[in-house]
Amino acid sequence: MALFFSLPTTLLLLLLLLLLSSCLLPPALPFTVIMSDSSTLVDGPQSGFSMNKYGFRTDIREQEAVYDIMKATGNDWATNIPDVCRGRWHGIECMPDKDNVYHVVSLSFGALSDDTAFPTCDPTHSYISPSITKLPHIRTLFFYRCFSYNPQPIPAFLGQLGPTLQTLVLRENGHVGSIPSELGNLTRLRVLDLHRNNLNHTIPISLGLIAGLRSLDLSGNKLTGSIPGLSFPSLNILDLSQNLLMGSIPPAVGTCHSLIKMDFSRNRLSGPIPDSIDGLKDLMLMDLSYNRLSGPLPISLRSLISLQALIIKGNPMGSDAIPSDGFDGMKGLMILILSNMNLHGSIPESLGRLTNLRVLHLDGNQFNGSIPVNFKYLKNLSELRLNDNRLIGSVPFGREMVWRMKRKLRLFNNPGLCYKAGSGLDEDSDSGIGVCDVPRPETGRSVQHLSTLERYVPRTFNVSSDAVFKISVPVGLIQLATLLLCTFTLM
């Protein structure tokens, strides 16, 4: 027998069920996940706020060190915190050991966004305190825009944190001078990020001692010299862009088999792209743009089966043509930027077989011939630049493809290129090319096809040396003339 309840009764029952379910579920505790190889610390809550009631305490020496570090960044208020691991300061992470003593494992300064609650630094007089070396369990140091108006070198004493430090991030701090060779002592480091400072001199060879490094970002500095032949078997990210590096790309880069991103853009690198890159089977992004690289594109590019973005624009690669099968095998490629490279010859047909392409830039080269017909099968293409070349012939794209790309289809400055009426380009006045010439259909039969009248009506007559006209005779008139000829013959 079905039971029916009134609406107020039903709502009350639902509320009771929700309350009951919340009572049966255990309360959630905030935990942090920190990579660790140490057995002295155990994973626990992010802070000891709730656990200190049961006997946990913070190491007093580490607490004093944190007070010094906070004062050095202009955060004197922190000295009023009775227990740095017990408070709710989001810039510090602590973990307990087996004796219920909390240790500082992470310090973070600088607001990345409105969502981060890390303490900011006073940019006029902040500095990195040597008391950091008194934190024997520290794993992460993060400083972001902390010393912009008080530029200072990266302190060499950070190299003393080798036994524990795994992440060192000093982004956009205005650091000056060279990268201290002592950082090579941080043999357990996984992340080294010195992005956008004012660092100069060369990249220290000592960094090669950090065998387990997974991310190295030295971009946006003023580093000079050549790229050392370092080998990092576990490295996933290598970013040396926007520096003043010279010389060739070292072949040793091909031994970094775990690389996912390699960015050497906007330097002064020269010479060819080494064939050793064929060892980068996991590479997804390679940016070598705006250097001085030369020579043909290496055949080894075809071995990069995981590559999704290849950017080489702004390099004078020379006049060698790209083989028609030059991009076969790169099935995952989504972005290909080859602008302003002085490339000659025909556009390789293998590009039309890369069905995952989204963005293709071939502008500013010396490509000739026609656009490969198989380009019309690039159904995912949303941006295509072919402008400023020497292309000829008809554009092979259909209306749907043209409409999909809209203003991102650039064809101008190709004097011999044209489009067919009805392709969609005729509705785009900014395409920069004209409509292909189409023969006009004849409205009657030309007299040059009528052998009977050839001796009576001349095919052409010259009006001037610049123009020749054909005489076309309507069909009815032809029939009348034929009838008259027959009549005169019988008479």
Side-chain angles (χ1 to χ4, degrees):
M1 182 173 117
L3 295 177
F4 297 95
F5 299 98
S6 63
L7 182 59
T9 305
T10 303
L11 293 175
L12 181 60
L13 288 173
L14 288 174
L15 181 60
L16 289 174
L17 287 173
L18 289 173
L19 290 174
L20 180 61
S21 62
S22 64
C23 293
L24 294 176
L25 293 175
L29 293 176
F31 278 76
T32 185
V33 179
I34 301 178
M35 294 177 57
S36 173
D37 296 325
S38 175
S39 58
T40 59
L41 301 181
V42 295
D43 288 337
Q46 183 173 348
S47 69
F49 183 74
S50 59
M51 299 295 290
N52 275 352
K53 297 178 181 178
Y54 303 97
F56 283 78
R57 63 192 184 281
T58 301
D59 185 290
I60 188 63
R61 291 166 298 184
E62 295 183 37
Q63 177 151 305
E64 291 296 328
V66 171
Y67 287 159
D68 291 341
I69 296 167
M70 291 292 286
K71 286 188 289 185
T73 57
N75 294 287
D76 299 60
W77 53 266
T79 57
N80 296 323
I81 300 175
D83 190 328
V84 295
C85 288
R86 186 178 178 181
R88 295 184 178 274
W89 171 28
H90 290 277
I92 185 172
E93 293 180 2
C94 302
M95 293 178 65
D97 61 17
K98 60 183 179 180
D99 297 320
N100 293 342
V101 176
Y102 268 91
H103 300 282
V104 178
V105 297
S106 176
L107 289 175
S108 300
F109 297 89
L112 283 170
S113 66
D114 294 337
D115 297 328
T116 57
F118 300 155
T120 58
C121 305
D122 185 338
T124 59
H125 68 274
S126 293
Y127 64 95
I128 299 177
S129 171
S131 293
I132 284 180
T133 59
K134 299 177 182 179
L135 302 175
H137 301 278
I138 192 71
R139 301 175 188 172
T140 299
L141 279 178
F142 181 95
F143 290 89
Y144 176 67
R145 293 184 177 177
C146 280
F147 321 110
S148 304
Y149 298 98
N150 184 30
Q152 56 194 270
I154 296 174
F157 59 72
L158 293 179
Q160 300 177 31
L161 304 176
T164 60
L165 196 64
Q166 297 180 10
T167 299
L168 177 59
V169 177
L170 304 174
R171 289 180 69 90
E172 301 184 34
N173 286 312
H175 288 297
V176 296
S178 60
I179 300 173
S181 59
E182 288 83 357
L183 296 188
N185 297 328
L186 303 175
T187 54
R188 301 189 68 179
L189 208 61
R190 299 295 179 265
V191 176
L192 177 58
D193 188 341
L194 307 179
H195 168 73
R196 195 171 291 179
N197 287 286
N198 287 305
L199 300 171
N200 52 25
H201 297 294
T202 60
I203 301 174
I205 300 178
S206 62
L207 296 184
L209 300 174
I210 314 175
L213 201 62
R214 296 177 185 173
S215 178
L216 176 61
D217 189 343
L218 306 180
S219 61
N221 285 284
K222 299 176 181 177
L223 298 173
T224 58
S226 59
I227 301 175
L230 306 178
S231 178
F232 299 102
S234 302
L235 196 67
N236 299 133
I237 297 174
L238 177 58
D239 193 343
L240 306 179
S241 62
Q242 301 180 59
N243 278 287
L244 303 174
L245 297 170
M246 303 179 69
S248 59
I249 298 174
V253 73
T255 64
C256 302
H257 299 299
S258 299
L259 268 184
I260 296 175
K261 172 187 175 181
M262 182 175 73
D263 191 347
F264 293 164
S265 63
R266 298 183 184 275
N267 279 283
R268 300 175 180 177
L269 301 174
S270 58
I273 301 173
D275 289 327
S276 61
I277 62 170
D278 60 0
L280 306 179
K281 305 297 184 183
D282 296 329
L283 193 66
M284 300 177 68
L285 183 149
M286 181 164 70
D287 190 347
L288 306 177
S289 59
Y290 297 113
N291 279 284
R292 301 171 182 175
L293 300 175
S294 59
L297 293 176
I299 300 177
S300 53
L301 281 175
R302 292 187 236 173
S303 302
L304 306 181
I305 55 178
S306 300
L307 200 64
Q308 296 184 12
L310 176 60
I311 307 171
I312 321 181
K313 64 180 178 179
N315 285 284
M317 298 299 290
S319 59
D320 292 331
I322 303 174
S324 60
D325 59 349
F327 293 93
D328 280 341
M330 305 176 71
K331 301 298 184 182
L333 201 61
M334 300 171 63
I335 299 173
L336 178 60
I337 311 294
L338 303 178
S339 308
N340 302 308
M341 294 177 60
N342 197 33
L343 297 173
H344 285 61
S346 301
I347 296 176
E349 292 185 359
S350 54
L351 290 178
R353 295 189 283 270
L354 303 180
T355 55
N356 287 315
L357 270 182
R358 267 71 168 171
V359 176
L360 177 59
H361 292 182
L362 303 176
D363 53 296
N365 287 292
Q366 301 293 328
F367 284 119
N368 54 32
S370 58
I371 301 173
V373 177
N374 60 0
F375 269 34
K376 65 183 178 181
Y377 300 120
L378 298 176
K379 303 300 183 182
N380 294 310
L381 199 62
S382 60
E383 184 172 334
L384 176 62
R385 296 184 185 178
L386 299 175
N387 54 283
D388 298 290
N389 280 286
R390 299 179 178 178
L391 299 173
I392 61 174
S394 174
V395 175
F397 313 133
R399 179 183 295 268
E400 180 182 350
M401 191 173 186
V402 170
W403 284 357
R404 183 173 66 246
M405 289 189 281
K406 297 180 181 178
R407 303 294 182 185
K408 294 184 179 180
L409 173 59
R410 301 184 182 180
L411 304 171
F412 54 87
N413 288 343
N414 285 285
L417 204 60
C418 62
Y419 64 86
K420 296 178 181 178
S423 65
L425 283 169
D426 47 350
E427 301 169 15
D428 181 7
S429 59
D430 296 329
S431 64
I433 60 174
V435 65
C436 299
D437 291 333
V438 180
R440 295 180 180 179
E442 296 179 350
T443 58
R445 189 177 299 174
S446 175
V447 296
Q448 62 195 15
H449 300 295
L450 299 172
S451 59
T452 311
L453 297 180
E454 282 182 343
R455 52 185 174 175
Y456 297 101
V457 181
R459 285 189 191 176
T460 62
F461 64 95
N462 291 328
V463 175
S464 68
S465 60
D466 298 325
V468 178
F469 296 90
K470 291 183 180 180
I471 297 178
S472 295
V473 182
V475 176
L477 184 57
I478 294 173
Q479 293 174 345
L480 178 59
T482 304
L483 179 60
L484 291 173
L485 283 175
C486 293
T487 304
F488 286 123
T489 303
L490 293 174
M491 288 178 64

